[in-house]
Amino acid sequence: MLGGGGQIDPAQFERLTGMPLDPAMMAMVQQQLRGAMAAGDGIPWGVAEQQALQLARTGDLSVTDGDRVDLDGALTLANLWLSEATVISELAQTPRIITRAEWVSATLPVWQEFAEPVATSITDALTRTLAEQAPEELKPLLQGAGKVMRSLGGSLFATQLGQVVGQLSTEVISGGDVGIPVMPAGEAAILPQNFADFGRDLDIADDQLALAVAVRELAHARLFRHAKWLRLHVLSQVTEFARGIDVDTDALEDLASRFDPSRPDELRTALESGALLPEHTEAQRAALARLESLLATVEGWVDVVTEDATARLPKAAAISETVRRRRAAGGPAEQALASLVGLELRPRRLREAAAMWRAITEAVGVDARDSLWDYADFMPSSEDIDDPSRIIDSLRRRALGADAPETELDELDDAIARILAGEESSDPRTDLDADGDSDRDQNDDSEADGGAPDGPVR
């Protein structure tokens, strides 16, 4: 059948398998199996791209010159406002106005990066289950079927990922809208098609909304360009979580035992619902907690900077609350991604993180606040989100130029207090003799008697 040289009688195939197949369906099955054999053992990411682009190109694809002019103007003004709210420098590349299809092409490599461990787990589980569950008399016939199952499983997962990313392209309004850095480093972009849908039911003027969205997108892109370590930090956390994902073989075997060939959508539904993904392990829960804290820290900073930069807008507070609720709720595509990969991208501590950044800004100012992004070791932790007093104290000491350890600083403060209280000489270089009198006092006495002091004058 896979060689294509012979023909299979659909009636005979139906008697052997109980599957009602007409000639057209048989031809489609043969074509899919040949494609799977030719794909090799890897995940056919080209299938994911085709599916995503197909969904991204549905509907109204036009981006008018008027849309570009309006959003370009908003991005230009947003850049000026943002420079007043943060000391993090401007982008080297001009922000872009892109279509949904362009967003798919730009971001798909990142989606592949953290989805690949899950796809590998699924295809390995399919192959392993086939080898373990097949009857002994059929195992010699199925020795070469592992490659087919691996290719079919990979193709199925790639198709599902493509549909999720394609659906996401119809929901996101900017490059950084999903929270993780899916756009190339240092690039910012707005999707005018989705921006129009986002503002359609809001009682907010389009120019105000465009400015707020532009400021948020530029703040997100500036941050990841400035803190070059941050992008790798986020993606490594995502990858660490994804590599721990396995497939629930019991659920897979249960699905196989009741699988109805006349309902092939059942396997796809199981993938979409997350039924094949087991409960998170302890290591995964720890990785997920770190990732959620990291994403909340990033989004909280973006929230505070955007709020400060857009303070001139009459409805700035309403826009901020709308965006915050949208970020917290997510969309259907992100929910599908959570089911497919097991990863929730929406930070749950967004408000607490924003409150921390606001407290830091009011306590030490913008310059000290933004210096926390210079090195990974400076970044606030989950404990700092709960209580920012420690990091505020640290920034205040740095602002005073006191880089010594805290114990040394305390000793210095105590010494200064004793000097001011008259407990010690103001000159720390003064030596004391055995009687407790200083050399300087002895020299002064000698000079008063007309004699020269013994030894060199200090």
Side-chain angles (χ1 to χ4, degrees):
M1 179 175 65
L2 296 178
Q7 297 295 327
I8 296 178
D9 182 5
Q12 182 182 8
F13 190 83
E14 182 176 346
R15 285 196 302 272
L16 292 173
T17 64
M19 296 172 59
L21 291 177
D22 57 24
M25 184 178 295
M26 176 60 69
M28 182 183 67
V29 170
Q30 287 181 273
Q31 181 180 3
Q32 291 179 346
L33 288 174
R34 291 193 193 104
M37 288 291 291
D41 292 339
I43 309 299
W45 296 117
V47 174
E49 184 175 13
Q50 292 174 4
Q51 290 289 329
L53 290 176
Q54 183 178 353
L55 288 173
R57 289 168 177 162
T58 57
D60 184 14
L61 303 179
S62 61
V63 177
T64 65
D65 292 338
D67 293 334
R68 294 184 183 277
V69 171
D70 293 342
L71 291 176
D72 282 339
L75 286 166
T76 301
L77 183 56
N79 209 23
L80 296 175
W81 287 4
L82 189 59
S83 296
E84 299 175 356
T86 178
V87 296
I88 293 180
S89 60
E90 299 181 11
L91 300 177
Q93 298 183 7
T94 303
R96 295 190 294 160
I97 309 301
I98 62 175
T99 63
R100 295 168 179 170
E102 290 173 332
W103 183 85
V104 167
S105 299
T107 63
L108 196 59
V110 175
W111 299 117
Q112 294 174 9
E113 186 174 343
F114 72 80
E116 187 168 9
V118 187
T120 302
S121 296
I122 290 177
T123 55
D124 288 347
L126 287 170
T127 306
R128 184 172 60 252
T129 303
L130 174 66
E132 293 174 354
Q133 300 300 322
E136 290 295 331
E137 60 272 16
L138 288 181
K139 286 186 177 181
L141 299 175
L142 296 176
Q143 289 180 355
K147 181 179 179 180
V148 177
M149 290 302 298
R150 187 179 298 275
S151 298
L152 287 175
S155 298
L156 181 61
F157 185 89
T159 299
Q160 294 304 109
L161 179 65
Q163 291 178 355
V164 169
V165 175
Q167 183 61 37
L168 265 176
S169 72
T170 67
E171 298 176 7
V172 296
I173 58 178
S174 62
D177 198 21
V178 292
I180 62 175
V182 293
M183 290 288 292
E187 291 191 15
I190 293 181
L191 286 72
Q193 299 161 281
N194 301 341
F195 172 76
D197 295 336
F198 171 63
R200 183 167 291 116
D201 297 329
L202 300 177
D203 187 21
I204 301 173
D206 289 344
D207 56 347
Q208 292 191 45
L209 195 60
L211 276 168
V213 170
V215 167
R216 176 173 290 274
E217 172 64 7
L218 289 174
H220 192 272
R222 278 195 191 191
L223 177 59
F224 278 94
R225 177 181 178 271
H226 171 78
K228 295 179 174 58
W229 54 269
L230 183 58
R231 178 183 179 87
L232 180 61
H233 201 50
V234 173
L235 294 181
S236 63
Q237 295 286 349
V238 174
T239 304
E240 181 182 352
F241 171 82
R243 290 192 187 282
I245 293 178
D246 200 355
V247 173
D248 189 343
T249 54
D250 292 337
L252 187 61
E253 291 170 6
D254 178 67
L255 177 64
S257 65
R258 54 185 175 80
F259 182 70
D260 184 356
S262 64
R263 299 171 56 194
D265 287 344
E266 188 172 358
L267 181 57
R268 184 177 64 187
T269 302
L271 277 175
E272 290 177 347
S273 65
L276 298 182
L277 298 180
E279 292 293 328
H280 293 159
T281 64
E282 194 65 32
Q284 277 185 299
R285 283 191 286 270
L288 187 59
R290 290 193 298 269
L291 178 62
E292 288 178 345
S293 177
L294 177 59
L295 293 179
T297 303
V298 171
E299 290 298 312
W301 181 88
V302 171
D303 263 13
V304 170
V305 171
T306 301
E307 183 179 341
D308 292 344
T310 57
R312 300 179 179 89
L313 296 179
K315 291 194 174 183
I319 296 174
S320 297
E321 184 61 26
T322 299
V323 173
R324 190 178 293 115
R325 289 181 179 178
R326 181 177 179 273
R327 288 284 294 118
E334 289 187 62
Q335 296 167 10
L337 182 67
S339 299
L340 188 65
V341 184
L343 178 64
E344 184 69 54
L345 293 180
R346 293 302 183 184
R348 301 179 182 180
R349 307 188 66 193
L350 177 57
R351 292 183 184 272
E352 293 88 342
M356 175 197 68
W357 285 114
R358 176 58 63 195
I360 293 174
T361 305
E362 294 175 352
V364 298
V366 172
D367 290 27
R369 178 201 67 193
D370 292 346
S371 69
L372 291 172
W373 296 109
D374 291 346
Y375 302 99
D377 293 341
F378 292 170
M379 192 182 66
S381 64
S382 178
E383 291 75 15
D384 293 324
I385 295 179
D386 296 327
D387 181 12
S389 60
R390 182 197 65 84
I391 199 166
I392 289 175
D393 291 341
S394 175
L395 287 171
R396 283 173 173 165
R397 289 197 300 271
R398 286 171 53 192
L400 294 174
D403 295 326
E406 187 173 354
T407 55
E408 295 180 16
L409 292 173
D410 292 340
E411 292 174 1
L412 180 60
D413 291 340
D414 293 341
I416 293 174
R418 289 196 299 270
I419 290 172
L420 294 176
E423 297 178 10
E424 290 186 4
S425 170
S426 60
D427 187 355
R429 295 171 296 178
T430 301
D431 296 328
L432 300 178
D433 61 14
D435 297 329
D437 296 324
S438 69
D439 292 338
R440 177 175 296 176
D441 293 337
Q442 294 177 2
N443 293 340
D444 291 343
D445 295 338
S446 298
E447 292 172 358
D449 296 334
D454 295 333
V457 178
R458 295 184 182 274

